[in-house]
Amino acid sequence: MATVLAVLTSGRRQGFTSRLLAAAVAGLESVDGVSADVLHTHDFGFGPCDSCFACVRDPAHVCVLDDDFGRGGEGEIFQRLQNANGLLIADPVHNWSPSASARLFIERCYPFIWSGGLRGMPAGSISCASNQGMQREAMRELCKWLFGLRTRYVGGLDAHVAQFDAASQQASALGTALGKAALRDAQRGRDKWSDTDCFTHYATQAPWNALEPYIENLTRGAMMASKSVMQEALADETFENPEAVEHLKLAQEEFQHTIPYYHVGDMEQANASLVKASAHWTKATWLEFLQDQVIGADQPENYRPLPDEDD
Ligand SMILES: Cc1cc2nc3c(=O)[nH]c(=O)nc-3n(C[C@H](O)[C@H](O)[C@H](O)COP(=O)(O)O)c2cc1C
């Protein structure tokens, strides 16, 4: 039996978003052996992450906050998510973006980034607008967050209530696709899902992909390897930790391959190269800025594995 955690983040229990979630749940449960575990975030008490980083230091990677997402891994939301074979978030569009409740939910999934507990879990999202819209913006943002958790994005729905009937049908189809993926997860165990798999999947099958924004951020908009933050940090000798400097060099070396692939449109190679460059960049910044000064722990194995570990 597979369970999909179906999360409603709208304050309106019987509103448009909840009706689309109901259609998705019907689709999910049309798959034999799949049931939905519907969770309404407004029924629970949990606030923003405190940035204490206890979840990184703790080898079990659980949250210490005394609320429904924490309690050392005993919090009800944490438990229900950990035990699921899939995740669906149904969210109203607020301020041209996902709602604060959805943001809170994702932020509190931070411990799973270290444990790898959601890596490869099938996931989907519904963004529901009723006024000006911007439901596609909101869908892309949710997709980005689900990428960050390394879930396997099965699909996203950008719904406007102006086309409510069509959106309901699409929600049902999304539910069915997610239900099938969750059933596979329950029957065969979670698929192995490397960072390279993940970047490539989002680049080809999702409404948001990391490549361009990542390059843009690493080059502060210049889209040239010679203008990267790595290159500037090397030139200015701003990193002091010798191991961090080594990773900075490796990041820059690899990034010099990423950009030409990107410019000639070889997105597969560009993504593969970016995964390597960004893993070294992550490691360099972890060693230089986080390990001793902020977190007090080594970088967990599941988080941005280095190229030779990412398989
Ligand atoms: C704080 C807030 C911000 C909102 N911002 C938007 C918006 O940017 N675009 C939009 O189309 N609707 C917006 N709405 C309307 C909701 O998206 C609307 O409620 C939507 O239909 C979601 O369904 P539900 O509230 O019935 O669950 C907003 C509502 C609230 C409460």
Side-chain angles (χ1 to χ4, degrees):
M1 190 76 185
T3 305
V4 173
L5 187 67
V7 181
L8 174 67
T9 53
S10 174
R12 286 168 20 93
R13 272 164 213 284
Q14 309 297 336
F16 295 117
T17 312
S18 120
R19 284 162 56 197
L20 290 178
L21 181 63
V25 164
L28 275 169
E29 295 190 335
S30 71
V31 182
D32 251 3
V34 178
S35 71
D37 174 17
V38 178
L39 183 155
H40 186 201
T41 46
H42 289 249
D43 288 338
F44 293 88
F46 63 104
C49 171
D50 263 9
S51 309
C52 71
F53 297 107
C55 63
V56 190
R57 291 187 294 276
D58 180 352
H61 301 305
V62 290
C63 173
V64 295
L65 291 182
D66 187 19
D67 64 18
D68 291 325
F69 227 123
R71 298 197 186 98
E74 298 300 319
E76 185 174 335
I77 304 181
F78 188 93
Q79 285 278 318
R80 284 166 70 177
L81 180 55
Q82 189 168 43
N83 293 329
N85 302 105
L87 170 65
L88 176 65
I89 298 177
D91 185 47
V93 177
H94 282 182
N95 308 88
W96 295 14
S97 303
S99 71
S101 184
R103 187 69 185 95
L104 208 51
F105 180 89
I106 294 285
E107 185 170 292
R108 292 297 302 278
C109 289
Y110 206 42
F112 291 107
I113 290 184
W114 318 120
S115 67
L118 301 182
R119 191 179 269 275
M121 177 190 269
S125 66
I126 297 172
S127 297
C128 174
S130 62
N131 189 209
Q132 281 188 64
M134 293 292 170
Q135 63 276 10
R136 284 184 80 76
E137 285 286 305
M139 172 183 68
R140 278 194 284 266
E141 191 74 2
L142 273 170
C143 177
K144 178 175 74 179
W145 297 346
L146 288 165
F147 165 88
L149 297 173
R150 296 292 180 268
T151 63
R152 182 192 291 266
Y153 199 69
V154 171
L157 176 58
D158 52 329
H160 196 288
V161 300
Q163 285 107 25
F164 193 79
D165 289 346
S168 288
Q169 283 173 21
Q170 289 161 352
S172 169
L174 172 60
T176 303
L178 185 54
K180 287 179 181 166
L183 190 62
R184 275 196 302 279
D185 184 273
Q187 289 175 338
R188 296 192 209 151
R190 185 121 334 135
D191 288 341
K192 231 170 142 19
W193 183 242
S194 68
D195 274 9
T196 312
D197 295 334
C198 185
F199 274 67
T200 309
H201 172 85
Y202 278 76
T204 53
Q205 295 174 53
W208 181 89
N209 99 73
L211 182 65
E212 208 164 275
Y214 213 135
I215 295 175
E216 196 187 359
N217 279 276
L218 282 180
T219 62
R220 298 170 62 221
M223 309 306 267
M224 290 157 66
S226 59
K227 301 273 187 204
S228 77
V229 283
M230 288 85 76
Q231 183 58 43
E232 291 190 0
L234 285 166
D236 297 344
E237 298 184 356
T238 47
F239 283 45
E240 290 172 1
N241 177 316
E243 204 189 333
V245 173
E246 280 316 300
H247 284 289
L248 198 57
K249 286 181 187 160
L250 290 167
Q252 177 62 12
E253 248 174 65
E254 187 59 49
F255 194 56
Q256 278 163 349
H257 301 300
T258 312
I259 298 267
Y261 286 134
Y262 166 73
H263 283 308
V264 298
D266 187 341
M267 295 307 163
E268 198 174 317
Q269 291 290 351
N271 268 292
S273 171
L274 178 65
V275 169
K276 293 179 193 164
S278 67
H280 285 296
W281 167 241
T282 305
K283 185 77 176 175
T285 48
W286 186 287
L287 289 167
E288 183 68 26
F289 303 116
L290 302 181
Q291 184 151 298
D292 300 328
Q293 297 175 52
V294 178
I295 295 180
D298 290 347
Q299 186 175 316
E301 272 175 27
N302 274 306
Y303 175 62
R304 302 315 323 275
L306 290 168
D308 53 349
E309 299 159 349
D310 184 42
D311 50 29

